[in-house]
Amino acid sequence: MEVKMDVGSDGVAVIFVSNPPVNAFAVSIIGWLKEKIAEAMGRDDVKAIVLTGMNGKFSGGFDINVFQKVQQTGNLSLLPDLSIDLVVNRIEDAKKPIVVAIEGLALGAGLEVLMGCHARIAAPKAQLGLPELSLGIIPGAGGTQRLPRLVGLPKAIDMMLTSKSILSEEGKKLGLIDAIVPPQKLLEVSRQWALDIAEKQKPWVRSLHKTDKIGSLPEVFQIITVARQQVKRASPNTPQHQACLDVIQEGIVHGGYHGVLKEGKVFNELVVSDTSKGLCHVFFSQRATSKVPNVTDIGLKPRPVKKVAVIGGGLMGSGIATALIISNINVVFKEVDSEYLTKGLKMIEANVGDLVARKKLAQSAADKALSKIKGVLDYLEFKDVDMVIEAVIENVQLKQEIFSEIENVCPPHCILATNTSTIDLNLVGGKVTSKDRVVGAHFFSPAHMMPLLEIIRTEKTSAQVILDLMTVGKIIKKVPVVVGNCTGFAVSRIVFSYEQSAHILLHLGFDLFTIDKLITSFGLPVGPFQLEDLAGYGVAKAVAKEFASAYPDRAFKSPVVDLLIKNGRNGKNNGKGYYIYEKGSKPKPDPMVLPIIEESRRLAKLVPRGQPVSVTDQEIVEMVLFPVVNEACRVLEEQIVVRASDLDIASVLGMSFPSYRGGIIFWADLVGSKHIYTSLKKWSEKYGNFYKPSRFLEERAMNGVPLSAPVTSPTGSRARL
């Protein structure tokens, strides 16, 4: 980590920033940068300055570890003065011109620093963006003021609100970049440009004072009003989007410097907000998943996985095969007969076609991907596969038969993985002799799009197999989370308690469409009943059966799914469930389902003394989600996960729990374990055992210990054996 300066015979001082891997602006880097600029300003032999980054990158932005320290301590003085002291006073208002030479990327504070410079020269394909809003904050070093002045208000708002970056080519068209030159000429052109400014051959531009791209005030208000309405619809629960628009407006109405001051004040408020704490926690939680004790820290190297067999060509199997082939892995795709095989291969083609249509994949890459799959009806091609992923229906006997067969036909190094979402792996691999190769690879539907891969290990799974599967997960752009073995593992267990609590509320007399609406208002993309429609009732029945036998003390047998099937409904699969599904329109609540629910309530006899229960909207959300926290506490106590943050990232990526709430455990700690415990205790006395607080929750609530605090146990963790 260093900032160094070379002064050439041409009178140009080149300041190099180095902090691998992305030249993040750590506090010390910012301090050294200020010193070097001051030194260059004071030297008579320096006419102009070029600022650049080492190792083919300018800067990936401010050091996010500092935010974490500020959020943990509440101490805002840990934040360096980047905006006024560095960007305004030392760069933009400098007495000598400063030109920036950009390669690779300039994101966040990296882009803010370069917008303060007097000209910007870039190599081709450099990435430029302000992704701060994705961390619950706003740009804090003048980005909200300078970007609109350089690229125009509509584009600047779009870049900030979506956190999407652009390439230097687009930056040049917009006016953010002054010239694009090949990397080998970057410093030469930048030096000359800086000298040209010093000698008044080129304009000396201070971006904060530009107004030519802003437009009239009525136009500005119109653009900002439209943006506010869009934000209100898309992000009603988070403060940073509206705050960003407030700050942009302030600078346009009262002047750029006013805007910069307001930006600093708002930035400081947002950095300690619950939203920013939640989003930063998710960011660090995702990083932490790649560290698994006794797997990633014992000197093992991942083995190459070049060819994978996928057994089962349904929705999951075809999705998994898609994820593999688009990441350049050869796939043998097995089904039981040619009709099912053709259907499965068509689904894969449709998945790949959809990615092309949505510009996520180039046509040439799609053609290459589809050439990597081979459909088969027998095991002949399995003789040289490195891994098999079984993705058939949730049936223990069928899975056991398949595992016995593949053990015999696959090479001895081959990983034997199952995509089961609930069944205990000791059952699935019960008849296999090499139990060290048996592992769970639980994908989430649609498997080629959902980002989570839950890796399940038994007491016998080898560390090498886990490391190999983690590596494959990263190659296919998933976030692998390693968990221990039990019925439902981590994610399905908490999702099942979510579905169960919704069904209990339904049978206590609550309206299902209201429950769904309140849960989506809380921030999940769909409510529990629509989720059941989307997953299909076959899945709901299979999962319910597994959980009822594994956790009989807290399983509620809801009659409603059987009644829906009897009524000819199967959710989205046949267009009729709790909702009506028609192509091209949003799902609509189906009032025809209400008599079925009434019948289910009569059968369940849950309504106390036949009187429907009356509670607030807030309490409905709590009655759905607190049992999820309760089950998550059992998962923690049984040490199914390595650390609480793994459960947070798994809930965000696997259950679509809102990332700005930080994940299920993080959110529960914000709400307070005491409140969750007393609420569950009250409901368990009124409505039964399902709500009974777990021992772990009770202990933590009584002792005031955060739920996220590490678990110490004599038995050791099932996720880190």
Side-chain angles (χ1 to χ4, degrees):
M1 192 195 287
E2 63 171 342
V3 176
K4 62 177 189 171
M5 182 168 80
D6 290 337
V7 179
S9 55
D10 57 357
V12 177
V14 181
I15 298 174
F16 298 91
V17 173
S18 173
N19 182 14
V22 294
N23 298 335
F25 285 141
V27 175
S28 49
I29 292 275
I30 293 165
W32 295 332
L33 193 51
K34 289 175 182 178
E35 284 169 18
K36 292 295 177 200
I37 292 171
E39 187 190 330
M41 291 299 153
R43 280 176 65 160
D44 294 340
D45 59 340
V46 173
K47 296 181 202 165
I49 295 161
V50 169
L51 179 59
T52 194
M54 301 281 278
N55 312 314
K57 294 182 183 76
F58 180 62
S59 172
F62 184 63
D63 179 5
I64 185 176
N65 294 294
V66 180
F67 293 154
Q68 203 181 27
K69 287 193 190 105
V70 170
Q71 288 167 351
Q72 285 162 353
T73 60
N75 181 5
L76 287 165
S77 69
L78 295 170
L79 294 168
D81 184 354
L82 187 61
S83 185
I84 303 290
D85 192 36
L86 178 62
V87 184
V88 174
N89 296 348
R90 292 171 194 256
I91 295 178
E92 195 164 47
D93 291 352
K95 300 291 178 277
K96 296 173 186 177
I98 302 178
V99 171
V100 63
I102 310 135
E103 210 180 339
L105 47 79
L107 301 172
L111 186 67
E112 294 183 278
V113 165
L114 70 82
M115 288 193 290
C117 296
H118 304 116
R120 288 158 286 284
I121 315 301
K125 302 262 179 295
Q127 211 185 340
L128 313 167
L130 294 176
E132 284 87 346
L133 274 78
S134 64
L135 289 172
I137 52 175
I138 60 171
T144 62
Q145 304 306 307
R146 291 186 183 87
L147 192 61
R149 286 167 169 78
L150 286 165
V151 304
L153 189 55
K155 184 65 188 178
I157 287 177
D158 179 58
M159 282 175 69
M160 286 186 264
L161 295 190
T162 62
S163 295
K164 281 188 185 143
S165 52
I166 59 169
L167 293 178
S168 45
E169 287 76 359
E170 190 182 347
K172 168 82 171 68
K173 280 186 202 143
L174 292 164
L176 178 58
I177 297 298
D178 294 297
I180 292 184
V181 297
Q184 58 275 23
K185 293 230 160 170
L186 190 59
L187 279 181
E188 183 193 325
V189 172
S190 300
R191 297 177 89 110
Q192 189 54 50
W193 203 291
L195 287 170
D196 286 351
I197 296 175
E199 285 153 17
K200 301 194 168 48
Q201 303 292 310
K202 281 207 162 67
W204 187 320
V205 180
R206 291 152 76 207
S207 328
L208 196 60
H209 303 270
K210 269 171 70 73
T211 54
D212 56 305
K213 290 201 176 169
I214 293 297
S216 69
L217 277 183
E219 286 171 323
V220 166
F221 289 137
Q222 174 62 23
I223 292 164
I224 290 178
T225 303
V226 170
R228 284 194 194 284
Q229 287 160 350
Q230 288 168 339
V231 162
K232 209 170 173 182
R233 281 195 300 275
S235 311
N237 296 341
T238 51
Q240 69 272 29
H241 302 82
Q242 295 288 4
C244 185
L245 294 168
D246 291 344
V247 170
I248 292 169
Q249 186 168 317
E250 173 87 10
I252 292 171
V253 175
H254 298 289
Y257 193 71
H258 270 282
V260 166
L261 294 175
K262 169 135 179 151
E263 178 193 78
K265 186 170 166 291
V266 172
F267 177 91
N268 285 353
E269 288 163 9
L270 287 172
V271 81
V272 289
S273 67
D274 286 348
T275 298
S276 183
K277 286 176 185 172
L279 288 164
C280 288
H281 174 71
V282 166
F283 177 87
F284 285 109
S285 299
Q286 185 163 328
R287 276 191 180 177
T289 58
S290 56
K291 295 185 175 74
V292 180
N294 301 326
V295 173
T296 57
D297 55 359
I298 55 172
L300 289 174
K301 295 269 180 289
R303 299 173 298 185
V305 174
K306 291 178 180 154
K307 188 173 173 185
V308 176
V310 176
I311 301 176
L315 194 64
M316 281 311 285
S318 56
I320 294 166
T322 307
L324 293 162
I325 60 171
I326 62 175
S327 300
N328 227 7
I329 295 172
N330 294 304
V331 172
V332 178
F333 188 64
K334 182 182 180 304
E335 251 301 355
V336 287
D337 64 33
S338 52
E339 188 190 336
Y340 280 123
L341 182 61
T342 307
K343 208 171 151 188
L345 290 167
K346 280 205 171 122
M347 271 155 75
I348 293 167
E349 278 175 35
N351 289 343
V352 172
D354 179 52
L355 291 170
V356 173
R358 292 190 299 113
K359 296 194 168 43
K360 302 267 190 217
L361 199 66
Q363 188 58 57
S364 56
D367 297 339
K368 189 183 175 192
L370 290 169
S371 72
K372 294 201 159 285
I373 191 141
K374 183 172 185 183
V376 300
L377 297 170
D378 54 39
Y379 288 122
L380 290 174
E381 289 280 338
F382 280 54
K383 61 185 180 297
D384 60 346
V385 296
D386 302 306
M387 175 160 72
V388 178
I389 302 174
E390 165 276 305
V392 302
I393 56 168
E394 296 286 64
N395 177 311
V396 176
Q397 202 180 342
L398 177 61
K399 288 179 188 286
Q400 285 179 339
E401 282 167 22
I402 289 169
F403 266 70
S404 298
E405 289 164 2
I406 57 178
E407 186 181 27
N408 291 329
V409 295
C410 295
H413 75 274
C414 177
I415 297 165
L416 310 176
T418 172
N419 175 55
T420 180
S421 62
T422 44
I423 304 170
D424 188 316
L425 259 62
N426 291 328
L427 286 173
V428 175
K431 298 183 175 173
V432 172
T433 50
S434 38
K435 293 192 179 353
D436 58 328
R437 293 192 277 148
V438 174
V439 69
H442 178 206
F443 289 81
F444 294 76
S445 188
H448 59 296
M449 285 157 71
M450 287 290 274
L452 183 65
L453 172 61
E454 193 178 25
I455 297 175
I456 302 100
R457 63 187 304 178
T458 70
E459 285 85 353
K460 304 253 168 55
T461 312
S462 79
Q464 183 68 58
V465 162
I466 292 160
L467 184 68
D468 295 346
L469 188 48
M470 286 174 74
T471 308
V472 170
K474 285 174 186 161
I475 289 168
I476 63 173
K477 301 185 174 60
K478 304 292 178 205
V479 177
V481 175
V482 177
V483 302
N485 179 41
C486 61
T487 299
F489 325 123
V491 180
S492 292
R493 267 180 77 171
I494 62 174
V495 171
F496 186 66
S497 57
Y498 168 67
E499 290 291 351
Q500 286 263 287
S501 53
H503 274 270
I504 288 173
L505 283 183
L506 179 72
H507 289 86
L508 285 172
F510 292 97
D511 173 59
L512 81 98
F513 303 118
T514 303
I515 296 169
D516 270 5
K517 205 164 147 220
L518 290 169
I519 292 299
T520 52
S521 297
F522 175 82
L524 277 88
V526 293
F529 296 103
Q530 199 183 337
L531 181 67
E532 208 164 73
D533 270 358
L534 298 177
Y537 299 156
V539 173
K541 285 189 68 165
V543 169
K545 191 176 155 206
E546 289 299 321
F547 279 88
S549 64
Y551 312 110
D553 58 317
R554 52 187 187 276
F556 165 61
K557 291 188 177 66
S558 169
V560 76
V561 173
D562 283 330
L563 291 172
L564 288 166
I565 294 168
K566 200 171 117 188
N567 197 263
R569 292 170 184 266
N570 193 23
K572 197 184 176 197
N573 289 340
N574 72 348
K576 279 194 312 187
Y578 300 103
Y579 295 79
I580 295 279
Y581 298 86
E582 284 162 355
K583 222 180 173 127
S585 64
K586 282 184 174 174
K588 294 185 196 70
D590 187 1
M592 303 297 284
V593 86
L594 299 176
I596 302 168
I597 286 161
E598 279 308 324
E599 190 184 340
S600 190
R601 284 174 182 152
R602 279 196 298 278
L603 291 169
K605 297 190 179 68
L606 263 199
V607 182
R609 297 177 301 284
Q611 293 299 307
V613 179
S614 151
V615 297
T616 63
D617 286 355
Q618 171 72 19
E619 204 168 358
I620 290 175
V621 172
E622 293 180 348
M623 285 180 88
V624 173
L625 293 177
F626 287 1
V628 181
V629 174
N630 203 22
E631 194 61 39
C633 286
R634 294 186 184 101
V635 169
L636 291 175
E637 183 176 32
E638 293 164 31
Q639 293 193 287
I640 298 295
V641 288
V642 174
R643 52 186 84 79
S645 66
D646 282 3
L647 202 46
D648 283 328
I649 197 73
S651 69
V652 168
L653 300 180
M655 181 187 169
S656 300
F657 193 83
S659 56
Y660 57 82
R661 297 192 189 275
I664 191 72
I665 297 294
F666 185 89
W667 172 73
D669 275 336
L670 280 181
V671 171
S673 56
K674 196 88 189 276
H675 173 57
I676 297 171
Y677 168 72
T678 50
S679 302
L680 286 166
K681 197 163 174 355
K682 175 181 80 181
W683 301 328
S684 69
E685 285 156 10
K686 275 187 182 176
Y687 313 122
N689 228 7
F690 172 74
Y691 292 105
K692 189 180 171 193
S694 63
R695 186 180 60 190
F696 180 91
L697 175 62
E698 181 172 9
E699 280 174 8
R700 297 261 161 136
M702 291 300 122
N703 297 319
V705 178
L707 298 178
S708 57
V711 179
T712 46
S713 149
T715 55
S717 163
R718 284 199 250 176
R720 58 162 100 202
L721 295 165

